[in-house]
Amino acid sequence: MSSYLESKLILSALRRDQKPEVWQKECEQAKVNYDTLAVTAIVLGLAPQLHYALTKWNVTLPPRAMAKLGATFQLHEKRNTAIYQQLDEVLNECERRGLKPIALKGVHLAACVYPRIALRPMNDIDLLFDASRGDLRSAEEMLEELGYAGKHKSSELGPGVTKHTSTFRREGDHTATPNPYLSTQSERMIEPHTSLEESWFGLKVDVTGGVRGRAITENLNGHECLVLSREDL
């Protein structure tokens, strides 16, 4: 069976109105190889969601395929839990210093949109700081004091991506991994943003204006933090 059909079956399982008996019939008609289905779900980053759906339905695949999905779910849950612990440390220090970053992307969505934090793959922590107050320098100093080392780049290099020009990783944390979305061995990079501008080979789009004024406060796995409004999200 082609990877297209496997992908189609995975997405079909994740439809909000899907019924287990309908999905199982689709798999039977396609004569799906469940091991290959599980590997495809892992490659697409959808294995945790597929495992969650099957568990809710009380549907069990052949043992090897189910074990692959279950192990991936557990890895994501362990890694994302560690990411929120890392985020909690940073947000506590931000509060102490009067910094109010807006949490972007995965750390917002996993906590507030998905029913389990394991269901949204994350590879780093993105925080939007207030450029009008010059908060970026304070944020970078804070991260350095917390033991992170920064790498800086010019926004004029390469395609000219300007939304963030630095990344921070804890010193001494250089665990190599072929798949950062599955590794639970190292802390995640932190990317402090001052802009949501995308600049790609001269084409620029900037949606930063007004997002701070429209930001709302949400609970991110036990910590209050600003996030993008629904419209901006």
Side-chain angles (χ1 to χ4, degrees):
M1 186 176 69
S2 70
S3 59
Y4 168 77
L5 287 176
E6 293 159 356
S7 302
K8 187 176 179 180
L9 287 171
I10 294 166
L11 294 176
S12 178
L14 301 182
R15 284 172 45 194
R16 300 181 74 177
D17 60 347
Q18 183 61 280
K19 294 179 173 57
E21 61 273 14
V22 173
W23 185 76
Q24 287 178 297
K25 187 174 181 180
E26 289 178 359
C27 290
E28 291 171 4
Q29 291 175 341
K31 298 180 180 179
V32 61
N33 181 312
Y34 288 105
D35 282 346
T36 307
L37 183 77
V39 171
T40 302
I42 293 170
V43 170
L44 294 176
L46 295 175
Q49 290 194 53
L50 181 58
H51 182 269
Y52 183 75
L54 294 174
T55 302
K56 283 201 308 179
W57 289 343
N58 198 27
V59 170
T60 302
L61 302 186
R64 188 164 60 179
M66 204 66 187
K68 290 176 182 176
L69 295 176
T72 306
F73 180 93
Q74 292 172 7
L75 284 172
H76 277 260
E77 190 161 59
K78 180 179 179 180
R79 192 200 61 251
N80 286 3
T81 297
I83 287 174
Y84 280 113
Q85 291 172 347
Q86 187 180 349
L87 176 66
D88 185 63
E89 177 190 31
V90 172
L91 292 181
N92 281 333
E93 190 63 20
C94 283
E95 183 176 354
R96 191 179 74 81
R97 295 168 182 255
L99 300 174
K100 295 184 178 181
I102 298 175
L104 304 172
K105 299 165 59 178
V107 289
H108 170 200
L109 298 175
C112 302
V113 175
Y114 291 81
R116 294 280 294 272
I117 64 171
L119 302 183
R120 174 48 160 88
M122 292 186 281
N123 188 38
D124 51 31
I125 297 172
D126 294 271
L127 299 173
L128 178 65
F129 289 90
D130 191 348
S132 67
R133 301 197 326 165
D135 283 353
L136 179 61
R137 185 58 231 160
S138 297
E140 291 178 338
E141 291 175 353
M142 172 194 71
L143 291 171
E144 289 168 356
E145 290 180 16
L146 288 174
Y148 291 84
K151 289 187 177 181
H152 301 263
K153 65 181 180 181
S154 169
S155 63
E156 303 303 319
L157 294 177
V161 177
T162 59
K163 58 185 179 179
H164 69 87
T165 56
S166 61
T167 58
F168 285 79
R169 185 186 292 276
R170 192 87 73 174
E171 289 184 347
D173 183 16
H174 301 297
T175 305
T177 171
N179 190 334
Y181 287 96
L182 295 181
S183 172
T184 61
Q185 301 303 313
S186 61
E187 290 188 329
R188 303 294 122 177
M189 288 190 301
I190 296 178
E191 296 183 345
H193 298 246
T194 55
S195 166
L196 297 178
E197 178 182 297
E198 290 282 1
S199 178
W200 196 253
F201 294 104
L203 178 64
K204 293 186 179 183
V205 178
D206 191 354
V207 297
T208 314
V211 297
R212 183 162 292 275
R214 294 187 294 270
I216 60 176
T217 300
E218 289 279 12
N219 188 298
L220 303 189
N221 206 40
H223 205 294
E224 297 298 309
C225 184
L226 290 174
V227 299
L228 295 176
S229 68
R230 184 178 295 272
E231 297 91 335
D232 292 320
L233 183 60

